[in-house]
Amino acid sequence: MRVRRSLLDLDDLSASDLHYILDYAGRIEASPDSRTLDGVACANLFFEQSTRTFASFNLAQLRLGAHVVNLSPKDLSLATKGETIEDTVITLAAMGFSVLVVRHGEAGFPGRVARAFDGHVVNAGDGGRAHPTQALLDLYTLRAEFGALAGRRVAIVGDIAHSRVAHSLIHGIRRLEGQVTLVGPQAFVTQADAGDGVSISRDFDAVLKEVDAVVLLRIQHERFDKMPLTMDEYTRNFQLNAQRLATMRKHAIILHPGPYNRGVELDESVLSYAGWRYARQVAAGVPIRMAVLDFLVHGKR
Ligand code: NCD
C-alpha cells in the first residue's frame, strides 16, 4: 500500500525529518544526477501566479526523471463544468498520478486536496498560511552560511501578517533553535505573533545592528484592500537602503523569497551587497524540492 505522505506545512516534519531533507538536498546539490522518481507521474496545479516555485518544482521533477504534467486551472473541468476539486483529484489518482503540487489563494486548500487524493501532495503556497518548501530553502541557505542556527538571530521584516513565507519560516527557524525578531508596522506585525524565541520590534535600525540575517518580504497588496500606512512612512521606517546596510554586522546576510520590489522593501544598493543571498536561495530551490519529492515518495533512506 502506498503511504500517503504529504507536505502541507513545516509542522508535518519532525526536526529529524527536517535535517534529513536539508542534508539530502546538500548531497543532491553536490551531485545532481539522481533519477529516483523515474516514471513517477507528477501534476502541478498552480491556481495562483508563480515564477520561482513553479519553475523549480518543474525542474526538480524533470531532474528526478518524473513524468510531469502542468495543469492550467482555468482550463480544468472544475472551472466551468461544476466538477469539485475532490472529484478532480480522484480522477487524477485513477489516471496514475502519484504526486500533486498545489498552490492556491485559499488557506487550507492543499489540505483538502490531500484528503481526497490517494498520493502525495506538496503545498506550494496556500493563501497567507504556509509555504513549506520556501521555508526549507531559506533554512538551507541559513545553514549553509552559519552551520547550526542555535544562538543565531534572524530578523524577518515587513508584511508578516499576509506572508505564508514568514509563517512557515518562523516555525522552521524555531525548530532549528534559532531566534526570530519580527519587524514591521502595527498593521503587519502584532503582539500576537510573539512567542517562545520570537520577539517583536518596530525599530528596524536597532534590530539591524544585532542580527545575523535579515529576511525581507514584499508587501502582499493582493491580500488586503487598503495599505494601512503611506508608502513614504513604510520606506522611511522599514526599507533596507544603503544607509542602513552600512550599520549591519559584517558577517550578516540578507534573504528575500522574491519577487522583490525595488524602491519599497529594498533599494538598489542591496542587490550588489556582498551578503545578498537571493541567488543562493533560488539555486537551493531545485535541490530542496528534489529532496522533498524523494522524501515524500520513498521516505527516509
Ligand atoms: C512568495 C509567494 O508566492 O508566497 N514567493 C515565492 O514563492 N518565492 C512571496 C510573495 O509572493 O511575495
Side-chain angles (χ1 to χ4, degrees):
M1 201 189 83
R2 191 192 282 153
V3 182
R4 291 161 49 122
R5 215 183 339 256
S6 288
L7 180 61
L8 303 176
D9 198 356
L10 275 197
D11 48 20
D12 297 347
L13 300 174
S14 65
S16 120
D17 291 346
L18 223 150
H19 280 294
Y20 170 82
I21 291 171
L22 297 174
D23 291 342
Y24 192 48
R27 292 198 295 279
I28 292 173
E29 194 168 38
S31 138
D33 192 20
S34 155
R35 297 176 65 85
T36 59
L37 260 65
D38 206 1
V40 173
C42 301
N44 299 318
L45 260 169
F46 279 61
F47 292 84
E48 266 191 355
Q49 288 154 339
S50 174
T51 302
R52 283 146 284 263
T53 307
F54 178 74
S56 64
F57 264 112
N58 256 265
L59 194 52
Q61 291 157 341
L62 294 170
R63 292 216 166 129
L64 290 168
H67 292 166
V68 185
V69 174
N70 289 309
L71 293 164
S72 164
K74 67 176 182 3
D75 299 328
L76 294 178
S77 298
L78 76 94
T80 53
K81 299 186 186 173
E83 189 171 41
T84 65
I85 183 66
E86 284 79 8
D87 290 327
T88 303
V89 304
I90 287 168
T91 304
L92 294 173
M95 212 176 285
F97 283 97
S98 302
V99 177
L100 296 182
V101 179
V102 182
R103 168 172 284 198
H104 198 282
E106 185 186 311
F109 189 91
R112 256 177 82 187
V113 170
R115 282 188 293 279
F117 182 63
D118 184 18
H120 311 281
V121 177
V122 192
N123 179 7
D126 62 332
R129 200 185 77 91
H131 192 350
T133 58
Q134 178 67 43
L136 283 166
L137 72 88
D138 294 342
L139 293 174
Y140 183 88
T141 307
L142 289 166
R143 241 184 44 155
E145 197 75 31
F146 301 121
L149 291 195
R152 296 289 180 176
R153 216 171 130 196
V154 181
I156 306 179
V157 186
D159 181 9
I160 315 286
H162 306 101
S163 172
R164 54 195 177 204
V165 172
H167 295 137
S168 290
L169 183 58
I170 293 167
H171 199 87
I173 294 172
R174 290 302 298 137
R175 233 343 123 79
L176 299 187
E177 295 168 29
Q179 304 288 311
V180 180
T181 303
L182 304 175
V183 184
Q186 185 72 45
F188 290 160
V189 187
T190 64
Q191 213 51 47
D193 297 317
D196 180 37
V198 183
S199 60
I200 303 274
S201 173
R202 315 270 171 225
D203 188 347
F204 190 23
D205 293 299
V207 170
L208 257 187
K209 297 187 182 86
E210 295 172 358
V211 292
D212 301 292
V214 181
V215 180
L216 301 173
L217 299 171
R218 184 177 65 88
I219 300 174
Q220 324 251 306
H221 292 282
E222 71 280 18
R223 301 206 196 287
F224 56 88
D225 292 330
K226 194 176 172 301
M227 180 71 181
L229 63 169
T230 66
M231 282 311 255
D232 184 54
E233 271 175 282
Y234 186 83
T235 55
R236 195 157 16 91
N237 291 303
F238 303 108
Q239 182 186 82
L240 188 52
N241 53 28
Q243 208 183 348
R244 289 197 168 107
L245 278 179
T247 69
M248 286 175 60
R249 298 171 78 184
K250 290 295 161 256
H251 69 271
I253 59 168
I254 305 162
L255 282 73
H256 196 308
Y260 51 78
N261 290 159
R262 295 170 191 234
V264 186
E265 69 271 22
L266 50 78
D267 80 358
E268 305 270 332
S269 62
V270 173
L271 306 178
S272 53
Y273 187 71
W276 172 238
R277 290 291 178 270
Y278 171 75
R280 274 298 297 143
Q281 292 170 271
V282 173
V286 178
I288 279 290
R289 289 173 174 121
M290 290 171 75
V292 165
L293 291 165
D294 183 274
F295 169 73
L296 295 179
V297 173
H298 298 297
K300 275 193 212 171
R301 54 208 184 123

